[in-house]
Amino acid sequence: MAVKTRKQNVKDQPPQPNVDDRDRSPFVSPGTGKSRRAGKGTPFNSLLQNRNGLFPGFSFIRSKLGLTPSAFVKLGITLVFAALAGYLHWYHLSRLFENDRHFSHLSGLEKEMAFRTEMGLYYSYFKTIIEAPTFLNGLYLVMNDRLTEYPLVINTLKRFNLYPEVVLASWYRIYTDIMEFFGLPTKMCWSINRGEGMAPVDGCEGMGDPAYFYVTFVFLLNGLMMSLFFIYGTYLSGSRLGGMVTVLCFFFNHGESTRVMWTPPLRESFSYPFLVLQMLLLTHILRTRNPSRKTMWALGISNLCFMLPWQFAQFVLLTQVASLFALYILGYISPTKIQSLLVTHMITLAVCFVLMFGNSMLLTSFYASSLVSIWGIIALRDKFAEAFKPGLITWVMQGLVWVVSTVILKFMLSAIFGASDDAHISSLIKSKFTSYKDFDTMMYTCAAEFDFMEIETPLRYIKTLLLPINMLVVAVIAGRTIQDVVRFLREGEKYSVKPEDDDEEPEMLAKGELVYHSLQLIAFAVLAMLIMRLKLFLTPHMCIMASLICSKQLFGWIGEKFKLHMMVFGILSIMAIQGAANLQAQWGIMGEFSNLPQEQLLDWIKDNTQPNAVFAGAMPTMASVKLSAGRPIVNHPHYEDAGLRERTKLVYAMYSRKSAELVKRNLMQMEVDYFVLEDSWCTRRSRPGCSMPEIWDVEDPQNTGKVPLCTLMSRDSRPHFATVFHNNVYKVLKVPKAAKELR
């Protein structure tokens, strides 16, 4: 093997198409419907029209899509630009990830340690499946897991949304089997001199390396997402320049748009690209008078792919359904179309419920209750028309009935199913508007990503002009919407949505997609302001909305096409000043992953403990213990389960002011053999009131003022525990043998 020396550590809306254009590809801007005179076509168009030309395959594809030669060329150009955008984003993500960690030169253990907290937990199941004798055996192990919440046996595929790991593991096994069959190498390995008196390690690069394979597919998926963003911006604005604006806005605000380059295994990395596809299809459905069954199927499949990998998807879809219901109330979408969308959502939810082995959180969610409530309101629309005069009062009553019925139905279903896993969400929202706080709530709110949006975020939006452009676009759409509402209130049903079989395009229906995107933007903004982590929905949608500065429908009053394009290029030039600086700052991040104390801990565990030894400790560390040492743990970072929250509270009593005897008894009841104590968890705090002892003071006020137990254990763990390992970060406490026999 070649010997390499590791580098020094640097840091520890569009014009509406005619009815005749409805069946064209959604990625081609609608034409005028006029035929090109003979002899006026381009040479390439003439070649496409000749079935015996040089490109008979292109002619076949064009005829299958039902496109004119010019439309086919436009589609091809759009797809080429989309592919380029996708490649650039894949390369950008891969480069940032490599620069930050020097990932290709890490040993297998270091690569696993780089997946901290819940990232390591998710990756551990990928590792379990690929290391099992067979794929089915690995699948059985993750569906009957006894290592994650010892001694419980849980179906982790049901609990943790692990379908991405199952799919990737199956692909990895197929890939390695094929390459092995043909005798082809899959990775390159070398010995790496780490310096500082540390032993050399072997590092591998290539698709045969499990961690390398895993992150490569994550980045490829998110590269495809950028291709979708270009297509989305092009379709929404009716201009390829709009697609360019969307992509550039995303790159200029990359640090506010995604964190996949730092945290590849998180659920959003797999889930969010399918939301982009889902919203693109929804835009096409809103624009089309009679969407085909294939389109509705595609919407349902993308919906399912968005929901399966991420437990939070239901909250995002709740905002989408609420926005669509607002469209219906205002008359921008017909009852028939919204009912079709609701049926698609319901079917998707039912399929997801089955594939998640009956996960009750899906049926007891506000999303599920909202679907039923809106369906009932639309089914009873004639009753509302009889009871109330069409207009403002009807709108308000429909909104009130939706809110009240959704809340009542949600809590009824929760009581029926006995579900309390999402109770912490209600507590978290409550804490945002009141002084309420408890242990579980503070575990979230003390983390910066779950706090309110910081003031620096909108300032960064302003510097790249993303916020001003969105305010302009939303103001124009809001102005036209207000005009529609006033006109409807004056003219009544004469200005409402016409029946679906009417040959004319209803005037309000034609604007539905723009109003929907504005409402969705507002919903995402509210989520992001309440929980900063959720700006990953807001910023990309702002990039989509920015494409509308290229829309003739909104800004045709500026003048001819040339003037509009010059204005857009001028705006992009100003945006690029701060945008380029942001990209330079990202490219300037150079580092190398190293965590010697944890490496020492994991090596000690593997060498000095039994394979069935049970561990407890801080959630991030427990994920690494399970992943790299393969030992059973009693708590982990996936905090969404009510039972796990109770377990974690018992374990974290070590960082409270309770007595050592009580804490030891709790650990014995959970059959813990070793506790990994971290002194930093005892002293650090993200802000006043957020250290672990201070959080416990809220939960356990009677012991306020006492010395934290973790401080006492750091000094001397006797007589309650025996210290069997320690370094400058970790201290392993063993439950005494005599106490263990009392189980």
Side-chain angles (χ1 to χ4, degrees), residues 12 14 41 49 57 67 97 175 244 252 263 271 293 332 396 410 473 486 503 530 557 570 593 616 684 698:
D12 273 340
Q49 289 173 336
L67 300 176
F97 184 71
Y175 168 76
M244 183 190 301
F252 291 161
T263 57
S271 183
R293 182 171 295 182
Y332 284 103
V396 172
K410 185 263 188 293
V473 170
V486 172
D503 290 335
L530 291 176
W557 49 269
F593 178 83
R684 71 182 180 191
V698 175

Coordinates of all heavy atoms in Angstrom, one line a residue, residues 12 14 41 49 57 67 97 175 244 252 263 271 293 332 396 410 473 486 503 530 557 570 593 616 684 698:
D12 N -9.7 22.3 14.4 CA -10.3 21.1 15.1 C -11.8 21.4 15.1 O -12.2 22.2 15.8 CB -9.6 20.8 16.5 CG -8.4 19.9 16.4 OD1 -8.1 19.2 15.5 OD2 -7.7 20.0 17.4
P14 N -45.8 32.4 -14.4 CA -45.7 32.2 -15.8 C -47.0 32.6 -16.5 O -48.0 32.6 -15.9 CB -45.5 30.7 -16.0 CG -46.2 30.1 -14.8 CD -46.1 31.1 -13.7
G41 N -38.5 27.3 -40.2 CA -38.0 26.5 -39.0 C -36.4 26.5 -39.1 O -35.8 26.8 -40.1
Q49 N -38.0 17.0 -37.9 CA -39.3 16.7 -38.6 C -39.1 15.6 -39.6 O -40.1 14.9 -40.0 CB -39.8 17.9 -39.3 CG -40.3 19.0 -38.3 CD -40.7 20.3 -39.0 OE1 -40.2 20.6 -40.1 NE2 -41.6 21.1 -38.4
G57 N -34.2 8.6 -33.4 CA -34.6 8.4 -32.0 C -35.3 9.6 -31.4 O -36.2 9.5 -30.6
L67 N -44.8 16.6 -28.7 CA -44.3 17.9 -28.7 C -44.0 18.3 -30.2 O -43.6 17.5 -31.0 CB -43.0 18.0 -27.9 CG -43.1 17.7 -26.4 CD1 -41.7 17.7 -25.8 CD2 -44.0 18.7 -25.7
F97 N -17.7 18.7 1.9 CA -17.7 17.6 2.8 C -16.2 17.1 3.0 O -15.7 16.9 4.1 CB -18.6 16.5 2.4 CG -18.7 15.3 3.4 CD1 -19.3 15.5 4.6 CD2 -18.1 14.1 3.1 CE1 -19.4 14.4 5.5 CE2 -18.2 13.0 4.0 CZ -18.8 13.2 5.2
Y175 N -23.9 -4.1 -5.6 CA -22.7 -3.6 -6.2 C -21.4 -4.4 -5.9 O -20.7 -4.7 -6.8 CB -22.5 -2.1 -5.8 CG -21.2 -1.5 -6.2 CD1 -21.0 -1.1 -7.5 CD2 -20.2 -1.3 -5.2 CE1 -19.7 -0.5 -7.8 CE2 -19.0 -0.7 -5.5 CZ -18.8 -0.4 -6.9 OH -17.5 0.2 -7.2
M244 N -32.5 29.7 -13.8 CA -31.2 30.2 -13.4 C -31.2 31.0 -12.2 O -30.3 30.9 -11.3 CB -30.6 31.0 -14.6 CG -29.1 31.4 -14.3 SD -28.5 32.6 -15.5 CE -28.7 31.7 -17.0
F252 N -26.1 31.2 -3.8 CA -25.7 32.4 -3.0 C -26.1 32.3 -1.6 O -25.5 33.0 -0.7 CB -26.3 33.6 -3.7 CG -25.7 33.9 -5.0 CD1 -26.4 34.8 -5.9 CD2 -24.5 33.4 -5.4 CE1 -25.9 35.1 -7.2 CE2 -24.0 33.7 -6.7 CZ -24.6 34.5 -7.6
T263 N -24.1 17.1 7.3 CA -24.8 16.1 8.0 C -25.5 15.1 7.1 O -26.7 15.1 7.0 CB -25.8 16.7 9.0 OG1 -26.7 17.5 8.2 CG2 -25.2 17.5 10.1
S271 N -35.2 13.0 2.4 CA -36.6 13.3 2.2 C -36.8 14.6 1.4 O -37.7 14.6 0.5 CB -37.2 13.5 3.6 OG -38.6 13.7 3.5
R293 N -54.5 11.0 -14.7 CA -54.4 10.1 -13.6 C -52.9 9.8 -13.3 O -52.5 9.6 -12.2 CB -55.2 8.8 -13.9 CG -55.1 7.8 -12.8 CD -56.1 6.6 -13.0 NE -57.5 7.1 -13.0 CZ -58.5 6.3 -13.2 NH1 -58.3 5.0 -13.4 NH2 -59.7 6.7 -13.2
Y332 N -59.8 29.9 -5.6 CA -58.8 29.7 -6.6 C -58.6 28.2 -7.0 O -57.7 28.0 -7.9 CB -57.4 30.2 -6.0 CG -57.3 31.7 -6.0 CD1 -57.5 32.4 -4.8 CD2 -57.1 32.4 -7.2 CE1 -57.4 33.8 -4.8 CE2 -57.0 33.8 -7.2 CZ -57.1 34.5 -6.0 OH -57.0 35.8 -6.0
V396 N -64.8 32.8 6.8 CA -64.4 32.7 8.3 C -64.9 31.5 8.9 O -64.2 30.8 9.7 CB -64.8 34.0 9.0 CG1 -64.6 33.9 10.5 CG2 -64.1 35.2 8.5
K410 N -57.9 15.2 16.2 CA -56.6 14.8 16.5 C -56.5 14.3 17.9 O -55.9 13.2 18.2 CB -55.6 16.0 16.4 CG -54.1 15.6 16.6 CD -53.7 15.9 18.0 CE -52.2 15.7 18.2 NZ -51.7 14.3 18.0
V473 N -42.2 40.2 -5.0 CA -43.1 39.2 -5.7 C -44.4 38.9 -4.9 O -45.5 38.9 -5.5 CB -42.3 37.9 -5.9 CG1 -43.2 36.8 -6.3 CG2 -41.1 38.1 -6.9
V486 N -61.9 41.5 -3.6 CA -62.9 42.7 -3.6 C -63.9 42.5 -4.7 O -65.1 42.7 -4.5 CB -62.1 44.0 -3.7 CG1 -63.1 45.2 -4.0 CG2 -61.2 44.2 -2.5
D503 N -65.7 25.4 -21.0 CA -64.6 25.5 -21.9 C -63.7 26.6 -21.6 O -62.5 26.6 -22.0 CB -65.2 25.6 -23.4 CG -65.8 24.4 -23.8 OD1 -65.5 23.3 -23.3 OD2 -66.7 24.5 -24.7
L530 N -40.3 30.2 14.2 CA -40.5 29.5 15.5 C -39.4 28.5 15.8 O -38.9 28.4 17.0 CB -41.8 28.7 15.5 CG -43.1 29.5 15.5 CD1 -44.3 28.6 15.3 CD2 -43.2 30.4 16.7
W557 N -45.5 44.4 -17.2 CA -45.7 45.8 -17.3 C -44.4 46.6 -17.5 O -44.3 47.7 -17.8 CB -46.5 46.4 -16.1 CG -45.9 45.9 -14.8 CD1 -46.3 44.8 -14.1 CD2 -44.9 46.5 -14.0 NE1 -45.6 44.6 -13.0 CE2 -44.7 45.7 -12.9 CE3 -44.1 47.6 -14.2 CZ2 -43.7 46.0 -11.9 CZ3 -43.1 47.9 -13.3 CH2 -43.0 47.1 -12.1
G570 N -29.4 42.6 -14.0 CA -28.9 43.7 -13.1 C -29.1 43.2 -11.6 O -28.1 43.4 -10.8
F593 N -11.0 15.9 10.4 CA -11.7 15.3 11.5 C -10.7 14.5 12.4 O -9.9 13.8 11.9 CB -12.8 14.3 11.1 CG -13.5 13.7 12.3 CD1 -14.5 14.4 12.9 CD2 -13.1 12.4 12.7 CE1 -15.2 13.8 14.0 CE2 -13.7 11.8 13.8 CZ -14.8 12.5 14.5
A616 N -24.8 3.2 29.1 CA -25.7 4.4 29.2 C -24.8 5.6 29.2 O -23.7 5.5 29.6 CB -26.6 4.3 30.4
R684 N -21.0 22.7 30.6 CA -21.3 23.6 29.5 C -22.7 24.0 29.4 O -23.6 23.3 29.8 CB -20.8 22.9 28.2 CG -21.7 21.8 27.8 CD -21.2 21.1 26.5 NE -22.1 20.0 26.1 CZ -21.8 19.1 25.2 NH1 -20.6 19.2 24.6 NH2 -22.6 18.1 24.9
V698 N -35.4 22.9 36.9 CA -36.8 23.1 36.5 C -37.6 21.9 36.8 O -38.7 22.0 37.3 CB -36.8 23.4 35.0 CG1 -38.3 23.5 34.6 CG2 -36.1 24.7 34.7

